[in-house]
Amino acid sequence: MRLELYHAPQSTCSQKVRIGLAEKRLDWTERRVNLAKNEQLRPEYLALNPNGVVPTLVHDGKVIVDSSVILEYLDEVFPEVRLSPADPARRAEMRSWMRFFEEVPTPAIRVPSFHMALAHRFHELDEETFRKTQSDVRPVRKNFYRRMGPHGFSDEDVAAALDELKRTIERMEKALAAGPWLLGDDYTLADIVVTPSIDRMNDLGLSSAWSDKPRVAAWYARMQARPAFKQAYMPGSRLSEFMTIKSLSVPVPV
Ligand SMILES: N[C@@H](CCC(=O)N[C@@H](CS)C(=O)NCC(=O)O)C(=O)O
């Protein structure tokens, strides 16, 4: 049995899968993809993952793409450590959380991540070169990059993203009344899927968003204390390790 993960340390979607692999105590071979060099857009990688994004899992030659799909695949194929409830209704509840996280905080966190850290590397490019070499070459991110441009997002886009993150935290705070995890006593893929968004907020200095949300703060501390979390957050996982974090010109909603 051989598991290969194409990933990048700082990629939140890769972090989700690395937490899942560590929780399930699975060994895997690392295939690093350098996003700063656009290695995810090379023809050999696009042949594996036509979306041109990480992560991609290759299990004994079978290619699985999309981080949440990979997590569910691993949970089905390696059931020894279960990260999904056995009861179908509870599993549906877990999946509803997963879809909500994919729809709301996952796209939202990309905006401050790029605006505050990753966009620096495009500042020198003029609009046309940026479009030709950066946005229009990406199978699923062309319009996201176009909206950002070489100088970062508008205040309006940043404020909208922060609002989506704030609403996620409010929803989690409510659900965690029946904690310790989002599904009560069961630690599941739902907890794993949202963790990289929360950790990225922390990395960007946006943790005031949960300063008055004690249950979210305690849940994040519990996540961080898990051995799998420590394993998944390998060196290079935080943007603040290798990028300057720019401050925001819009207030962080609390
Ligand atoms: N839905 C995909 C999204 C993956 C994704 O957006 N990956 C980012 C890193 S977290 C990426 O590879 N970005 C490459 C780029 O910006 O071109 C998944 O969850 O696997």
Side-chain angles (χ1 to χ4, degrees):
M1 188 279 289
R2 192 174 151 90
L3 289 170
E4 292 165 86
L5 184 70
Y6 290 78
H7 77 125
Q10 78 280 15
S11 139
T12 50
C13 308
S14 303
Q15 289 160 5
K16 277 163 65 173
V17 174
R18 296 203 303 265
I19 299 173
L21 285 163
E23 291 289 3
K24 295 180 82 66
R25 297 186 209 104
L26 293 168
D27 288 330
W28 52 283
T29 304
E30 159 164 79
R31 303 274 179 245
R32 271 198 199 205
V33 180
N34 188 329
L35 300 179
K37 291 191 178 153
N38 279 344
E39 286 179 357
Q40 75 280 17
L41 303 176
R42 288 185 176 168
E44 327 66 282
Y45 186 76
L46 290 173
L48 285 178
N49 185 333
N51 297 331
V53 292
V54 286
T56 299
L57 180 79
V58 182
H59 175 212
D60 286 339
K62 293 179 284 272
V63 180
I64 320 286
V65 300
D66 197 282
S67 53
S68 290
V69 175
I70 296 172
L71 282 172
E72 289 214 55
Y73 174 82
L74 290 171
D75 212 36
E76 277 178 42
V77 176
F78 303 103
E80 293 76 17
V81 176
R82 298 221 48 147
L83 297 172
S84 316
D87 173 58
R90 297 275 290 160
R91 216 158 52 239
E93 197 187 329
M94 175 192 82
R95 289 191 175 121
S96 305
W97 274 110
M98 291 169 75
R99 295 299 96 85
F100 170 74
F101 292 141
E102 285 151 21
E103 198 167 332
V104 181
T106 305
I109 194 63
R110 283 188 200 119
V111 174
S113 293
F114 275 83
H115 184 78
M116 298 172 79
L118 298 164
H120 293 328
R121 60 178 186 247
F122 306 125
H123 283 359
E124 307 282 288
L125 302 180
D126 62 67
E127 199 72 47
E128 199 192 325
T129 312
F130 177 81
R131 284 195 170 201
K132 229 190 307 183
T133 62
Q134 298 302 328
S135 58
D136 295 12
V137 289
R138 290 174 211 272
V140 297
R141 289 290 139 73
K142 171 180 163 186
N143 290 304
F144 172 86
Y145 274 71
R146 276 194 175 204
R147 219 170 73 228
M148 172 176 71
H151 303 293
F153 285 96
S154 66
D155 282 354
E156 201 185 348
D157 280 342
V158 174
L162 294 178
D163 178 61
E164 307 246 284
L165 293 165
K166 172 187 147 80
R167 283 185 296 121
T168 301
I169 286 161
E170 284 168 354
R171 192 138 157 198
M172 289 173 68
E173 182 72 7
K174 215 162 144 199
L176 287 166
W181 306 108
L182 290 166
L183 265 75
D185 287 333
D186 294 335
Y187 171 77
T188 70
L189 297 179
D191 297 287
I192 294 175
V193 166
V194 73
T195 291
S197 299
I198 301 293
D199 190 78
R200 174 59 53 78
M201 287 184 79
N202 193 42
D203 188 32
L204 295 173
L206 303 174
S207 62
S208 61
W210 58 86
S211 56
D212 65 345
K213 302 284 184 292
R215 293 187 206 119
V216 171
W219 168 90
Y220 180 42
R222 272 193 293 279
M223 273 310 298
Q224 287 174 295
R226 294 182 76 87
F229 180 99
K230 294 187 182 78
Q231 246 177 288
Y233 280 83
M234 53 176 53
S237 295
R238 276 28 186 266
L239 297 182
S240 58
E241 289 174 56
F242 59 97
M243 302 298 286
T244 308
I245 309 293
K246 183 178 123 170
S247 52
L248 286 177
S249 50
V250 297
V252 180
V254 282

